[in-house]
Amino acid sequence: MSLQLRARVPERDVELDLAVAAGQTLALIGPNGAGKSTVLALVAGTLRTPRGRVELEGRVLAGERSWTPPHHRRVTTLSQDPVLFPHLTARGNVMFPLRSQGMPRARARAEAERWLTELGLQELAERRPAMLSGGQAQRVAIARALAADPRLLLLDEPMAALDIDVASALREQLRRFLTDRTAIIVTHDVLDALTLADRLAVLEEGRVIEQGPTRELLTRPRTSFTARFAGLNLVTGRWEDGAVVLADGARLPAPGPHPAGRRVHAAFRPSAVRPASQGGIRRTVTGLFPHGDLVRVRTEDLAADLPPQEIAELRLEPGAAVHLAVSGDAVTTYEA
Ligand SMILES: Nc1ncnc2c1ncn2[C@@H]1O[C@H](COP(=O)(O)OP(=O)(O)OP(=O)(O)O)[C@@H](O)[C@H]1O
């Protein structure tokens, strides 16, 4: 393992045990206040706790008797808001960490040029941050972060402030750069997790509630937060004769088989859920939300994506009862 973190921060009710293998990217996801920023702060060294241990590439950065200050950790943070030096040009910003590491000026300049070119910024090398767009400034920040050759890169929602097209281009560039680097990314975006992260850790109330390979977790989620992040419905029940029987007795026909009576999860997309004239799963509508050219109908625990015409015909509105059916071949089942 390249990074190992084991820490308790009692004043935040956070207790974590996380590891990232060398060359891998771990995505941290979870609701507000789950502890994601706390992890980044512990690793970057901006938060110190007596009950914590952080090891990077076999070196103890924080332990009972040792402490490496943030600027000696070779850990670089890239946040949503690129913090560039306003008085330096784009090139000057990228050169800065290299010069601080003692690199001679001419070599630092050549290195900076190389990274600016990698990120398609060669034309903007002379510009100061005030003359750059948000996306350009973020690319300069990435060039600066990568030029410093960190042992670990911490990405704190790096695309959150950018518009969709810019974010998508930048995500692709980050994907290339992260291929063999060790990194942690905090994100609320499933695309970031899918394209950038080898593994996913789900945090809730200061604890890791689920972790594993990204694709595995996003196709077979085990918690409602992960399912929602993956855009899936998740229900749990007992397996009986080709169906998952939910707590309220509703039957969800699904592919198996599983041992009779075994507790199983069933995951399926909201687009696989249809209104049923009768029978099916009876639920109450809790909210309606625009979703592309469809409307996402939310109930207590299930979501269905339906055309607006159908919403009107069925008079679906918050508080209305609805019967739902799920096409069995769209359901994935796995043991709980
Ligand atoms: N400076 C602080 N002092 C004390 N408690 C804090 C501080 N910062 C955060 N906390 C608490 O620590 C817990 C974890 O917060 P943290 O900021 O790590 O969550 P997060 O997952 O990053 O949330 P968000 O998605 O809102 O950024 C929360 O209960 C929060 O209230």
Side-chain angles (χ1 to χ4, degrees):
M1 284 297 162
S2 180
L3 174 79
Q4 284 197 299
L5 164 81
R6 183 171 293 172
R8 225 154 50 82
V9 190
E11 63 276 20
R12 298 193 184 188
D13 189 21
V14 165
E15 194 170 337
L16 296 157
D17 192 346
L18 282 169
V20 188
Q24 294 220 322
T25 298
L26 171 76
L28 291 182
I29 66 167
N32 293 130
K36 305 179 295 294
S37 310
T38 302
V39 172
L40 298 191
L42 287 165
V43 177
T46 50
L47 175 66
R48 192 172 178 175
T49 172
R51 298 176 189 81
R53 187 176 175 85
V54 182
E55 262 184 55
L56 181 59
E57 292 178 356
R59 293 179 19 171
V60 180
L61 300 184
E64 246 172 67
R65 273 184 291 278
S66 56
W67 172 256
T68 308
H71 55 281
H72 284 150
R73 292 191 172 197
R74 300 262 313 269
V75 171
T76 300
T77 304
L78 194 65
S79 63
Q80 164 176 345
D81 183 20
V83 191
L84 299 176
F85 297 114
H87 60 289
L88 294 180
T89 60
R91 184 193 297 112
N93 268 281
V94 181
M95 283 173 69
F96 187 86
L98 303 174
R99 295 285 290 146
S100 319
Q101 287 169 16
M103 191 182 280
R105 172 170 286 280
R107 230 185 97 205
R109 192 183 163 100
E111 265 300 280
E113 286 298 336
R114 185 169 76 78
W115 280 107
L116 289 168
T117 307
E118 277 276 358
L119 281 137
L121 293 163
Q122 61 276 34
E123 314 272 287
L124 307 176
E126 297 291 338
R127 289 209 196 164
R128 288 180 204 277
M131 301 298 287
L132 297 170
S133 73
Q136 290 164 344
Q138 190 59 302
R139 272 149 63 207
V140 174
I142 294 175
R144 184 178 59 182
L146 296 173
D149 193 24
R151 291 198 178 95
L152 178 73
L153 200 54
L154 302 177
L155 304 146
D156 192 359
E157 298 197 58
M159 257 84 72
L162 305 174
D163 69 47
I164 291 178
D165 292 337
V166 177
S168 145
L170 203 53
R171 192 178 289 115
E172 178 51 29
Q173 283 180 319
L174 271 180
R175 191 185 60 75
R176 282 199 292 125
F177 294 130
L178 290 181
T179 307
D180 45 15
R181 282 173 193 274
T182 315
I184 299 180
I185 178 168
V186 167
T187 184
H188 289 284
D189 187 332
V190 68
L191 263 183
D192 288 347
L194 274 171
T195 44
L196 303 176
D198 304 285
R199 290 177 68 83
L200 199 62
V202 187
L203 269 55
E204 227 170 77
E205 296 181 350
R207 309 287 184 277
V208 178
I209 56 162
E210 193 174 13
Q211 61 177 317
T214 306
R215 267 161 221 283
E216 164 81 17
L217 253 67
L218 294 182
T219 46
R220 295 174 162 233
R222 295 182 171 276
T223 63
S224 54
F225 182 87
T226 315
R228 207 158 158 165
F229 182 80
L232 293 172
N233 283 301
L234 176 69
V235 291
T236 308
R238 299 211 174 267
W239 183 258
E240 261 175 36
D241 296 336
V244 181
V245 181
L246 307 184
D248 62 0
R251 285 176 64 84
L252 177 72
H258 299 281
R262 188 65 57 89
R263 253 170 69 79
V264 293
H265 291 306
F268 46 95
R269 312 212 144 274
S271 55
V273 183
R274 310 287 319 146
S277 45
Q278 50 188 311
I281 307 171
R282 189 175 189 281
R283 290 289 183 265
T284 303
V285 176
T286 55
L288 301 173
F289 305 91
H291 191 78
D293 56 352
L294 299 173
V295 175
R296 176 153 294 180
V297 181
R298 287 206 172 278
T299 68
E300 299 91 330
D301 58 346
L302 297 180
D305 290 343
L306 304 176
Q309 299 80 347
E310 211 161 350
I311 306 281
E313 270 165 36
L314 295 169
R315 298 179 194 280
L316 293 183
E317 56 186 25
V322 61
H323 293 263
L324 299 169
V326 184
S327 52
D329 52 6
V331 180
T332 306
T333 58
Y334 41 100
E335 291 189 19

